[in-house]
Amino acid sequence: MPTLDWVGKSAVVNHHYDVPFHFLDRSYGSSDENMIIHGDNLIALKSLLPRFEGKIKCIYIDPPYNTGNEGWVYNDAVNDPSIRKWLGEVVGREGEDFTRHDKWLCMMYPRMRLMQRLLSEDGAIFISIDDNEQANLKLICDEIFGAQNFIANISWFKKSSPSNDATYFSNDVEYITVYAKEKNIWRPNRLPLTDKQLQNYKNPDGDPRGPWNSATYTCNKTKEQRPNLFYPIINPNTGAIIFPKETAVWAYSPEQHADHIKKNLIWWGTDGHAKMPRYKKFLSGHQGVVNRTLWHYDDVNHTQGAATELKRLDIKFDTPKPVRLIDKILRLSTDKDSLVLDAFAGSGTTAHAVINLNAADGGSRRFILIESQPYAETITAERVRRVKPDCPFSFYEIGAPLFIDDILNPDVPLDQVRAYIYFSETRQPLPTVGRKYLLGIHDGVSYYYLDDRPLDTDFLFSTLNDGGDERIIYAPNCILGRNFLSKYRAE
């Protein structure tokens, strides 16, 4: 499989492992039903792993497009000389900053690795992008998610009118790159017909089965390819004998055609004199619209419409996405109780779309938003409050690291340490077991954390009735002798 190389790649491909684990400090809110996190999204994504690894059904992100006009800065703490010199510098424009694409790729790669871990097996990620980095994004996603899990590049027709001052072409399209965690598992939902599509369903013959639409009775096969589908059909109203074109034969066999006649599934026009039959497809049996890779602004709105949405909320933000765009992504990729993540939250459009969709279908979807900029509170969280004042969410800041110079940070709350240890061992959230030192039992192994006492024989023998065939014990000190450990085959 072709791979992409760039300056700094060797330093970032495993950087997500080196990112220090930080805890999240709740600033306000009493519910974790929804979360808004202010801080570096690389650290925030790492902090979500103990609770949410493999549990997020849909990820949508709108990262910097690297246009040269966004003013973003590469600030990841990667210990590599080729990268350290970039720190604190605004990424420049094409022709002025010859490492701008390298910086963008170094920024995106570890974040994508963490988001891949957070996705559920039946989940998918949707990434908004434009021409500046779309090709590079595709290659690193092939590497991280696997080329076999690529779903589509959706083209979003984002403008209602062209840019008349364009030098070459009016840039009217952006892309949404879609990958599944496991393509053989993930399936997009079929969406219901739009109001415009419903207008095509009529009932001119008063069929008791209700409104229907007609479809062509031929297919794209030739007479040579499908000789059994080239046969005469009789119009019962005129007696005319009709053959299909030799380059486009009937779509149905003679036996199927006879069954269609019996079931009144053939339409010969209002006067019955049509030159070709059509097949009746009933609205009552419609399985949903086939998903397409071109999304028109009539369906999902445009950038001007997105700006109008924020204006109605009296919120100022330069580059919002329209709610209907994210709504369509959610309808395609979530169930009513799904968890949704947006790691470049911006103005909070994803939360707005989740709230609206829950109201529309009675769902209980939850959102996690991450925003590094200071407006995480004044714009991102404020938008949620203005859209739904009673929407339960908690606002977090990046908290203390778990370790300081490889020593456990004494300021980290005990319950957070316990949760992290159990997750690091089992990849499961910490259960409630009602024992001071017992973290939980998983796959026949009992896990313990002794925060305030050494490991001694009294404690070891006190665990015999806890269950589990093996024990893994974290303790500040072990005072069991070597002979004892050898006797009981302890390590």
Side-chain angles (χ1 to χ4, degrees):
M1 180 185 74
T3 58
L4 182 67
D5 197 12
W6 65 88
V7 174
K9 179 178 181 179
S10 61
V12 300
V13 290
N14 291 313
H15 179 56
H16 61 293
Y17 292 120
D18 300 328
V19 175
F21 183 85
H22 287 245
F23 294 98
L24 298 175
D25 286 342
R26 193 197 309 260
S27 297
Y28 61 82
S30 59
S31 171
D32 279 346
E33 184 175 345
N34 299 295
M35 303 172 67
I36 300 177
I37 304 168
H38 173 224
D40 186 330
N41 58 4
L42 182 59
I43 296 174
L45 288 166
K46 185 74 173 276
S47 74
L48 293 174
L49 286 177
R51 185 175 172 189
F52 297 110
E53 183 170 17
K55 294 184 177 179
I56 295 176
K57 185 68 179 291
C58 172
I59 298 177
Y60 169 76
I61 58 172
D62 185 14
Y65 286 3
N66 209 17
T67 63
N69 299 314
E70 296 158 314
W72 72 276
V73 177
Y74 181 82
N75 270 330
D76 290 350
V78 179
N79 187 23
D80 184 88
S82 64
I83 292 178
R84 283 202 299 269
K85 62 185 179 182
W86 298 342
L87 300 181
E89 294 183 1
V90 173
V91 177
R93 299 178 180 178
E94 195 78 53
E96 299 175 2
D97 184 346
F98 296 106
T99 59
R100 61 193 292 265
H101 298 288
D102 305 272
K103 294 170 184 174
W104 188 87
L105 288 163
C106 284
M107 181 273 293
M108 289 294 292
Y109 198 94
R111 289 162 175 81
M112 298 297 294
R113 290 289 296 266
L114 291 172
M115 283 185 273
Q116 193 270 346
R117 290 178 61 181
L118 288 164
L119 266 183
S120 62
E121 293 299 298
D122 61 346
I125 183 169
F126 295 73
I127 309 165
S128 280
I129 201 68
D130 73 358
D131 289 317
N132 284 283
E133 297 291 358
Q134 191 278 327
N136 289 333
L137 174 69
K138 175 69 168 59
L139 287 173
I140 64 170
C141 284
D142 281 349
E143 191 170 322
I144 294 168
F145 291 90
Q148 73 279 6
N149 290 315
F150 171 70
I151 300 297
N153 273 324
I154 297 167
S155 297
W156 168 40
F157 193 10
K158 65 176 183 175
K159 288 185 178 179
S160 59
S161 58
S163 300
N164 293 321
D165 59 348
T167 303
Y168 300 104
F169 295 92
S170 175
N171 184 12
D172 296 340
V173 173
E174 287 184 7
Y175 310 103
I176 302 173
T177 299
V178 187
Y179 280 77
K181 181 72 169 281
E182 294 290 346
K183 188 176 182 178
N184 61 338
I185 297 175
W186 185 78
R187 292 292 182 274
N189 301 320
R190 288 285 187 95
L191 301 185
L193 294 166
T194 65
D195 290 341
K196 184 177 180 180
Q197 291 166 328
L198 285 171
Q199 292 174 7
N200 295 321
Y201 285 80
K202 311 289 185 182
N203 194 359
D205 61 349
D207 196 302
R209 290 167 289 190
W212 52 270
N213 191 9
S214 67
T216 181
Y217 213 68
T218 59
C219 67
N220 61 358
K221 301 300 181 181
T222 67
K223 177 182 177 181
E224 288 73 23
Q225 290 173 309
R226 297 290 188 272
N228 63 313
L229 299 182
F230 186 80
Y231 59 90
I233 284 178
I234 298 175
N235 183 331
N237 305 299
T238 66
I241 299 175
I242 301 170
F243 280 88
K245 293 181 180 178
E246 293 188 3
T247 55
V249 296
W250 302 126
Y252 308 97
S253 68
E255 295 78 17
Q256 289 174 310
H257 176 66
D259 187 59
H260 295 166
I261 294 174
K262 181 179 178 181
K263 295 179 179 177
N264 186 25
L265 293 176
I266 299 177
W267 176 242
W268 291 98
T270 304
D271 61 1
H273 291 181
K275 294 182 179 180
M276 295 290 284
R278 292 185 66 82
Y279 182 73
K280 292 165 65 174
K281 290 190 173 182
F282 290 90
L283 180 60
S284 59
H286 203 284
Q287 300 299 311
V289 178
V290 174
N291 299 309
R292 305 181 70 178
T293 56
L294 177 61
W295 293 4
H296 196 274
Y297 57 75
D298 284 347
D299 183 27
V300 296
N301 211 341
H302 40 60
T303 52
Q304 298 96 316
T308 300
E309 290 170 347
L310 280 190
K311 188 175 181 180
R312 292 194 192 104
L313 295 171
D314 195 21
I315 291 176
K316 295 182 180 180
F317 191 80
D318 289 337
T319 56
K321 288 293 187 289
V323 174
R324 279 162 49 198
L325 178 71
I326 312 304
D327 175 87
K328 183 164 185 174
I329 290 172
L330 297 177
R331 289 177 184 272
L332 285 170
S333 63
T334 67
D335 303 317
K336 287 187 177 183
D337 60 350
S338 294
L339 183 59
V340 179
L341 168 67
D342 186 342
F344 294 83
S347 69
T349 305
T350 297
H352 192 159
V354 168
I355 291 168
N356 282 7
L357 184 53
N358 282 342
D361 69 3
S364 56
R365 297 168 188 83
R366 294 166 294 145
F367 60 78
I368 301 174
L369 306 186
I370 305 172
E371 178 50 57
S372 64
Q373 297 302 312
Y375 58 70
E377 162 58 27
T378 58
I379 292 179
T380 313
E382 182 61 23
R383 181 174 186 173
V384 172
R385 285 189 285 265
R386 295 187 186 186
V387 170
K388 191 173 189 290
D390 62 345
C391 177
F393 73 90
S394 289
F395 189 90
Y396 292 86
E397 299 282 354
I398 301 295
L402 179 61
F403 293 99
I404 298 177
D405 296 329
D406 296 326
I407 298 174
L408 187 66
N409 185 350
D411 295 330
V412 174
L414 177 60
D415 61 335
Q416 295 184 353
V417 175
R418 288 166 58 87
Y420 179 81
I421 290 174
Y422 191 75
F423 168 78
S424 66
E425 290 284 354
T426 67
R427 290 297 186 265
Q428 300 295 318
L430 183 69
T432 301
V433 296
R435 288 279 304 278
K436 180 178 180 182
Y437 298 115
L438 177 63
L439 300 177
I441 301 173
H442 180 72
D443 285 346
V445 181
S446 301
Y447 296 91
Y448 300 86
Y449 176 57
L450 281 57
D451 59 287
D452 59 359
R453 61 167 293 170
L455 174 56
D456 55 22
T457 55
D458 288 343
F459 177 79
L460 188 61
F461 287 115
S462 74
T463 68
L464 294 178
N465 295 323
D466 289 344
D469 300 324
E470 299 180 19
R471 285 153 184 72
I472 293 180
I473 303 171
Y474 285 76
N477 190 20
C478 177
I479 60 175
L480 300 174
R482 289 184 177 274
N483 291 337
F484 180 91
L485 293 173
S486 177
K487 177 180 179 181
Y488 290 98
R489 291 178 294 177
E491 297 179 2

